[in-house]
Amino acid sequence: MTRIGLISTAHMHVGSYVHQLQGLEGVQITGLYDDDSARQAERATLFGVEEKPTLEALLESCDAVTICSENIKHLPFTLAAAAA
């Protein structure tokens, strides 16, 4: 089982990514972290995934991530994921 975490849901294609990931055998979305707490709560409910309280908590729960943040935030999220 490959455990995938979602970092942010700001990108307009996140729904397509989630749909594809949820349809893959052997893949589990372990949760999502978004630095916008209102968006995080809304999208966690919409996608049926667990909210993670911090980026660190999300990174501890997964093997890989999908970063769906605003482009300007990709670098810090990428560096955090790579360090984990």
Side-chain angles (χ1 to χ4, degrees):
M1 177 72 61
T2 303
R3 303 171 308 148
I4 306 291
L6 301 173
I7 298 179
S8 187
T9 59
H11 194 277
M12 62 189 260
H13 292 111
V14 67
S16 296
Y17 299 156
V18 169
H19 176 74
Q20 292 301 315
L21 289 169
Q22 288 175 332
L24 292 174
E25 193 171 319
V27 171
Q28 174 192 15
I29 299 176
T30 59
L32 86 87
Y33 167 77
D34 199 311
D35 57 359
D36 179 321
S37 60
R39 185 172 58 208
Q40 175 174 301
E42 176 189 335
R43 300 289 172 88
T45 299
L46 176 66
F47 301 140
V49 300
E50 180 183 350
E51 293 182 67
K52 297 295 183 177
T54 64
L55 178 58
E56 293 75 21
L58 176 73
L59 294 173
E60 290 173 0
S61 74
C62 61
D63 304 309
V65 297
T66 298
I67 299 173
C68 297
S69 67
E70 301 89 335
N71 290 344
I72 196 162
K73 296 180 181 177
H74 281 192
L75 180 60
F77 285 140
T78 300
L79 292 174

